[in-house]
Amino acid sequence: MMFHNHISRNSGGIVQERIESLKIGQKMQDLPEDLWHRSFKYYVKEDPDRKGGPNLRMIRLDPSKPSLTVTGFVFNKFVHPYADRFITVREAARLQGLPDELEFKGSLTSTQQQVGNAVPVELATAVFGRLLEHAVSNGRGGPLSAFSLFSGAGGLDIGAGNAENGGCRIGVPLAMDSWKDACDTLSGYKGASTAVRQQDITEVGDPLGYWRENTGIGASPDIVFGGPPCQAFSQAGKQKALCDPRGTLIFEFLRFVGDIRPDYFVMENVPNIASVDKGGLLRQVLEHMRGMGYNVSSGVLCAADYGTPQMRKRMIFIGCDKRLGHVGLPPVTHCPSSNILGLPAYRTVGDAFDGIPLEARPAGAGRGAEPMLPEPRASGTGVTFADL
């Protein structure tokens, strides 16, 4: 089996020294001081205010635990548990629950950002599974149709497609994003099952007409879902909130919901949205949703609680037409230890990386050099961490 996007980033000099000196679970502060990054040393030793924090949080991942949050910037921070290199796009995709068949298109930087921006698949599956549970309890037996907005590389889309309840599933005939590389990635994975359109949402004046034109379906979709860009609210970004044009795209998402009037909607964003304007933005968003005629459940969910090998948290909104009742947030399916509540234990970095070759293709190598899985052993498995 070929592993797409399993490409190692070249490191040298003091960066490689840091990597080779880190033991499992260790961070920058665990290294000898002469290996510290100068900004880290300033923060720890010299900064009188200690505001913000060091801008280099290198860590060697612990294979016995879920990873910290994956972003587009972990590719010079997350060191492989055993190999002396940063993790690859494919390994980061595994931490997000994204399938190996999903080949990320574009430059190395672009593919890194696509993975970092994605919604963890298992979390998305749990959310849509909860929605389907409600639909089935209300007499829906056939498939539900969905319109995907701000689709990116497709974390929410794949999660929606994976969800199932009583034979009821979700089809996504139309997905939309303004980012060409992400559209190419999702289109390559979805094939003919989803029409993926590169489109600026602000340029669509008639959302329902756009749906009909691009799907040939006269009826409105049952679900509208998406993750409006979160950089304006994220702690990893500048936190400019509504002063950043990306911050207003939440209301573009709600404009589509209001025009299309689906039975359900799902929106995700960063947890920090709750702290913008001392909670004022969150109250405004919820009031807008309820004013359109929806009952809304919202809360911060941790992806590890749903089987993703990563401690990523997301703010989730599930809207249900008031005539149909209320859809609650999904119950957790995993827990830190398997002896709690009888649930499976959190999945770990070791679980996620199982079977991926330690040796990654160097950056700049030809595509023919894509690493291949070893020949299966008699047990039918590939190389595992137990083999190392």
Side-chain angles (χ1 to χ4, degrees):
M1 173 182 175
M2 180 179 291
F3 276 91
H4 303 292
N5 311 112
H6 191 40
I7 302 169
S8 62
R9 174 175 173 263
N10 297 322
S11 300
I14 193 170
V15 174
Q16 190 62 34
E17 285 187 59
R18 292 181 187 127
I19 289 173
E20 293 173 2
S21 298
L22 281 172
K23 295 179 174 60
I24 286 175
Q26 287 191 336
K27 303 177 182 180
M28 179 71 76
Q29 58 263 42
D30 299 308
L31 293 175
E33 190 171 329
D34 62 312
L35 291 179
W36 285 5
H37 189 276
R38 61 181 178 274
S39 65
F40 185 88
K41 185 180 295 186
Y42 174 78
Y43 169 74
V44 173
K45 295 277 191 177
E46 303 169 29
D47 185 1
D49 298 322
R50 293 284 182 92
K51 292 180 180 178
N55 62 15
L56 190 71
R57 296 180 175 88
M58 183 180 288
I59 180 173
R60 188 181 287 274
L61 296 175
D62 187 334
S64 68
K65 300 177 180 179
S67 82
L68 301 176
T69 299
V70 172
T71 71
F73 305 100
V74 301
F75 300 95
N76 63 354
K77 296 180 181 180
F78 282 8
V79 176
H80 192 280
Y82 298 113
D84 286 331
R85 58 172 175 78
F86 293 114
I87 66 169
T88 67
V89 167
R90 179 49 50 197
E91 288 160 344
R94 283 279 191 95
L95 296 176
Q96 291 275 51
L98 295 162
D100 291 340
E101 295 79 15
L102 183 71
E103 180 180 4
F104 298 93
K105 309 293 180 137
S107 67
L108 182 57
T109 298
S110 175
T111 60
Q112 291 172 347
Q113 291 294 325
Q114 289 175 58
V115 174
N117 291 350
V119 178
V121 170
E122 293 88 349
L123 173 58
T125 301
V127 169
F128 286 109
R130 187 70 160 173
L131 188 155
L132 284 176
E133 179 184 341
H134 181 274
V136 170
S137 70
N138 277 268
R140 293 296 298 267
L144 274 64
S145 61
F147 187 177
S148 168
L149 305 175
F150 306 103
S151 308
L156 280 173
D157 298 67
I158 294 168
N162 289 346
E164 187 271 338
N165 187 286
C168 186
R169 304 190 70 101
I170 298 171
V172 187
L174 182 61
M176 191 176 82
D177 198 287
S178 61
W179 189 2
K180 182 181 184 303
D181 287 348
C183 289
D184 290 344
T185 294
L186 184 57
S187 179
Y189 178 75
K190 286 289 189 177
S193 66
T194 299
V196 181
R197 298 288 183 260
Q198 182 188 355
Q199 177 69 57
D200 183 336
I201 193 171
T202 64
E203 296 176 355
V204 178
D206 178 8
L208 183 56
Y210 189 87
W211 161 265
R212 289 170 173 165
E213 177 185 351
N214 285 276
T215 64
I217 301 172
S220 296
D222 301 296
I223 308 166
V224 171
F225 67 81
C230 60
Q231 293 93 331
F233 313 120
S234 172
Q235 289 184 333
K238 299 296 185 181
Q239 300 187 56
K240 293 183 178 180
L242 297 179
C243 295
D244 185 328
R246 294 171 296 186
T248 63
L249 291 176
I250 284 178
F251 296 98
E252 285 295 309
F253 176 88
L254 296 178
R255 176 174 70 89
F256 268 59
V257 171
D259 186 88
I260 293 172
R261 294 296 310 169
D263 290 340
Y264 304 97
F265 70 81
V266 172
M267 188 179 84
E268 69 83 31
N269 216 277
V270 292
N272 203 50
I273 189 176
S275 65
V276 174
D277 191 25
K278 298 181 179 180
L281 175 62
L282 179 59
R283 290 191 295 271
Q284 182 183 356
V285 168
L286 289 171
E287 288 172 4
H288 193 133
M289 292 171 170
R290 292 164 182 154
M292 292 191 299
Y294 290 91
N295 291 320
V296 183
S297 295
S298 64
V300 176
L301 304 183
C302 178
D305 289 337
Y306 300 93
T308 301
Q310 179 193 171
M311 300 299 293
R312 186 187 188 106
K313 294 181 179 180
R314 307 302 289 175
M315 175 69 81
I316 300 294
F317 302 82
I318 305 177
C320 177
D321 191 299
K322 289 180 178 179
R323 296 170 299 175
L324 300 177
H326 183 272
V327 181
L329 296 173
V332 301
T333 61
H334 292 67
C335 60
S337 174
S338 59
N339 62 4
I340 301 175
L341 304 176
L343 297 175
Y346 282 168
R347 294 184 63 241
T348 67
V349 171
D351 296 330
F353 289 0
D354 188 19
I356 300 180
L358 281 180
E359 184 177 352
R361 178 164 61 90
R367 294 182 60 84
E370 289 267 16
M372 309 289 288
L373 269 175
E375 288 298 317
R377 301 176 301 186
S379 63
T381 61
V383 172
T384 68
F385 280 90
D387 298 320
L388 300 172

